[in-house]
Amino acid sequence: MAAAGHSAQGRPASAAPYAIELRGISKAFGPVQANRDISLAVPRGTIQGIIGENGAGKSTLMSILYGFYKPDAGEILVNGQPLSITDSMTAIRAGIGMVFQHFKLVQNFTVLENIILGAEDGALLRPSLSKARGALRDLAAEYQLNVDPDALVEELSVGHQQRVEILKALYRQADILILDEPTGVLTPAEADHLFRILRGLRDEGKTIILITHKLREIMEITDNVSVMRRGEMVGHVRTADTSPEELAEMMVGRKVLLNVDKRPASPGAPILQVQDLRMTDADGVERLRGISFDIRAGEVLGIAGVSGNGQTQLLEILGGFPEKGAQIGGAVQVNGQPLPLSGRGADARSRRRAGIGHVPEDRQVEGLIMDFAAWENVAFGYHDDPAYSSGLFMDRAAIRADAVGKIERFDIRPPSCDLAARNFSGGNQQKIVCAREIERNPDLLLIGQPTRGVDIGAIEFIHKRIIELRDAGKAVLLVSVELDEIMALSDRIAVMFDGRIMGERLPGQTSAGELGLLMAGVTGDAPNVGGQV
């Protein structure tokens, strides 16, 4: 499928110069064909979107362009000249920069130190730092990328860390900038600021390649978009000539529901009751300031808010792994039984025995052991289940058989239970965690950022599983920075700001604007509804 004026290779009919041209790129990892005969031409000074399901081969293709992988076949041209990109330094010298989904920053280095890392002028760092400071000041002013050069990276927000990554690429004089899922960890306001930056870069003549699964972003920011499916390029269109529905169908190969299909909730008895929950961390900072709410059987309570306002601490306490050294007070009940908040019985294993499933916000740090195989991760935390045991030992055959079933039912790709978790795409990693927790049929599911970095087809799938769990009479506590997701899935919405719940709303009786004000700590006159908020 190609737009008018484009060939099947995505090459405009005009003779406009291309910043990047890929011809017949193929790459396999053992039996898995990640890229198959892919061709793409990106005109200079444009924003090119590349979309596709998780595992479609987008990141592999860009990793080839950046020199992380060598293609098995095909040719790369940069500014019209053939180039063998053998490593990332070759790409950098050719003016290509890349900002990864998971940032490549040294957390205990300053911004300035991260900027020059790998680009020092010599053995003495002082001249390099002095030169970089001036260049950084100029770049920050030109592209609205203001950040304190002397700040430690670990003290920066995620949005500012991303600015550091972009500045790193620009400092190395990148004219072609690749961004892999750049808004996966950003708030809506941070994403909007990023878009302003990208438009400014394009207007200055830079070429942007944007890898994303978010159709709203594609429609808002790109000039052209190419669609990948299962390792192949299936279409190139001008963004102005397409629609979210058409792109979704191209990505998945079938029509996709962009809205959550659910019937009204029928709440039952309270499953989770939280009263005056407080938490002060080891540094003496009060993270939770008297949180109270309940969730009934057969309903989803969505917690909206900008990251860093206590949602993470709430999930960690309820999930059984609070921050070390934290002081916790208040009362929590599950199915009418008190839930210990410290000491014996406050751990994750006890939470699982109490009927709580937990899909954590950070799948790579808290949800998976990245070097372990998929079949091992399916049993992660449930290894003492009698179904997994054979006498005193774990029954590997039983665990593997269970993993094979979950991989099939959750459409995890590639369908290999022996592949290490780190070798799956982010969306398929998320499916592994969701399969493990949802199929345990918990009375209460805690789920944080369920579709962060997940493609449209997987989003539809995960949303369906959440609603199925609700309709089976289970309680769901949903935490997400995606307001569209909160509005679509929740039966009630509570908004957190600075460790407090600012108010509760019904999805059909509020708006993104009202919720945004609550997220900023501005309360309105609308009354709270339901629960104990």
Side-chain angles (χ1 to χ4, degrees):
M1 183 174 186
H6 283 64
S7 72
Q9 288 76 34
R11 186 179 303 175
S14 69
Y18 304 126
I20 292 292
E21 194 171 356
L22 307 177
R23 298 177 179 175
I25 298 292
S26 293
K27 178 66 179 177
F29 298 95
V32 179
Q33 189 73 41
N35 291 156
R36 186 191 305 274
D37 193 25
I38 291 178
S39 295
L40 170 70
V42 182
R44 293 177 188 166
T46 63
I47 299 178
Q48 172 76 41
I50 299 180
I51 61 172
E53 292 187 280
N54 293 114
K58 310 181 298 295
S59 295
T60 297
L61 185 66
M62 292 301 102
S63 293
I64 289 172
L65 181 56
Y66 195 60
F68 275 8
Y69 300 139
K70 183 178 179 180
D72 299 331
E75 185 181 21
I76 299 172
L77 286 78
V78 179
N79 294 318
Q81 300 299 313
L83 181 65
S84 175
I85 302 178
T86 55
D87 53 33
S88 58
M89 290 306 299
T90 304
I92 291 169
R93 286 193 294 269
I96 301 171
M98 187 163 181
V99 178
F100 293 87
Q101 181 178 2
H102 301 287
F103 304 146
K104 309 294 185 183
L105 298 172
V106 181
Q107 293 292 305
N108 59 349
F109 277 21
T110 67
V111 168
L112 202 58
E113 290 165 344
N114 271 281
I115 294 293
I116 70 165
L117 188 62
E120 302 89 346
D121 292 326
L124 298 178
L125 289 180
R126 183 170 295 179
S128 296
L129 289 169
S130 178
K131 172 187 172 184
R133 186 180 294 276
L136 189 60
R137 181 175 56 248
D138 294 341
L139 288 170
E142 185 174 0
Y143 297 114
Q144 296 183 329
L145 286 162
N146 297 312
V147 62
D148 181 0
D150 298 310
L152 291 175
V153 165
E154 62 189 359
E155 296 174 352
L156 297 178
S157 70
V158 173
H160 280 81
Q161 289 187 35
Q162 187 178 69
R163 293 185 197 181
V164 177
E165 286 281 26
I166 295 173
L167 284 167
K168 271 175 58 179
L170 295 177
Y171 180 71
R172 288 159 173 75
Q173 299 183 323
D175 288 317
I176 300 161
L177 192 61
I178 306 165
L179 294 99
D180 189 0
E181 299 287 1
T183 65
V185 292
L186 300 184
T187 66
E190 288 173 328
D192 289 341
H193 185 74
L194 173 66
F195 292 163
R196 289 194 293 272
I197 291 168
L198 296 183
R199 291 189 188 99
L201 289 167
R202 177 192 60 189
D203 293 345
E204 292 287 334
K206 306 290 186 184
T207 302
I208 312 293
I209 300 177
L210 180 68
I211 305 171
T212 184
H213 66 277
K214 297 182 179 180
L215 298 179
R216 180 186 69 83
E217 295 176 4
I218 286 291
M219 300 303 298
E220 181 175 343
I221 192 65
T222 65
D223 300 302
N224 303 292
V225 56
S226 298
V227 184
M228 294 183 66
R229 186 169 71 238
R230 301 203 177 201
E232 297 182 344
M233 195 67 77
V234 296
H236 307 274
V237 293
R238 285 201 315 138
T239 308
D241 296 336
T242 189
S243 67
E245 291 77 14
E246 180 185 29
L247 291 174
E249 186 172 352
M250 290 170 69
M251 285 170 61
V252 181
R254 59 175 173 80
K255 290 190 179 298
V256 177
L257 290 175
L258 298 181
N259 298 312
V260 176
D261 184 18
K262 66 175 185 177
R263 63 174 183 264
S266 300
I271 297 293
L272 174 67
Q273 296 170 289
V274 177
Q275 187 65 43
D276 196 30
L277 184 62
R278 297 179 177 275
M279 182 268 206
T280 301
D281 67 19
D283 295 324
V285 179
E286 195 173 12
R287 299 295 186 181
L288 297 177
R289 304 167 184 262
I291 298 292
S292 296
F293 64 88
D294 63 32
I295 312 177
R296 296 179 176 273
E299 72 169 351
V300 177
L301 176 67
I303 303 286
V306 177
S307 292
N309 281 279
Q311 308 96 309
T312 296
Q313 288 76 18
L314 175 63
L315 286 178
E316 288 176 348
I317 291 170
L318 296 178
F321 52 97
E323 182 181 328
K324 188 176 181 180
Q327 299 297 313
I328 304 169
V332 177
Q333 290 187 341
V334 173
N335 288 321
Q337 299 299 311
L339 202 67
L341 300 179
S342 60
R344 186 178 179 85
D347 60 303
R349 176 180 291 186
S350 298
R351 297 292 198 259
R352 288 190 289 270
R353 289 173 176 169
I356 300 174
H358 186 192
V359 178
E361 290 183 295
D362 192 330
R363 55 182 171 255
Q364 294 193 347
V365 174
E366 298 168 341
L368 298 165
I369 301 177
M370 298 299 288
D371 290 329
F372 281 25
W375 70 269
E376 295 170 303
N377 275 288
V378 162
F380 184 35
Y382 297 97
H383 46 277
D384 57 352
D385 188 320
Y388 290 163
S389 302
S390 179
L392 297 175
F393 303 98
M394 294 178 65
D395 187 342
R396 293 193 173 199
I399 298 173
R400 289 174 63 87
D402 184 47
V404 168
K406 286 182 168 65
I407 286 171
E408 181 179 353
R409 289 189 294 276
F410 276 71
D411 191 26
I412 295 167
R413 302 176 192 172
S416 169
C417 66
D418 293 313
L419 199 63
R422 70 171 59 259
N423 292 326
F424 288 91
S425 67
N428 283 293
Q429 290 173 4
Q430 186 75 347
K431 283 186 178 182
I432 292 172
V433 180
C434 287
R436 182 183 68 220
E437 300 299 327
I438 291 175
E439 291 219 343
R440 286 281 159 178
N441 197 31
D443 293 330
L444 168 66
L445 178 67
L446 313 172
I447 186 162
Q449 316 303 341
T451 57
R452 175 177 282 169
V454 175
D455 65 65
I456 190 71
I459 287 173
E460 180 192 40
F461 183 89
I462 291 171
H463 284 177
K464 282 183 178 179
R465 299 291 85 77
I466 292 172
I467 296 303
E468 285 174 2
L469 203 63
R470 181 203 75 161
D471 291 346
K474 310 301 182 179
V476 179
L477 176 62
L478 166 71
V479 171
S480 177
V481 297
E482 300 284 353
L483 275 183
D484 289 346
E485 183 166 65
I486 288 286
M487 297 278 281
L489 289 175
S490 304
D491 300 303
R492 292 184 287 125
I493 302 171
V495 182
M496 286 188 68
F497 171 76
D498 194 27
R500 296 183 176 89
I501 291 183
M502 303 303 294
E504 185 181 321
R505 301 291 185 265
L506 294 174
Q509 299 177 12
T510 188
S511 66
E514 183 184 19
L515 294 176
L517 287 174
L518 290 171
M519 289 165 64
V522 180
T523 56
D525 296 325
N528 292 341
V529 294
Q532 299 180 27
V533 179

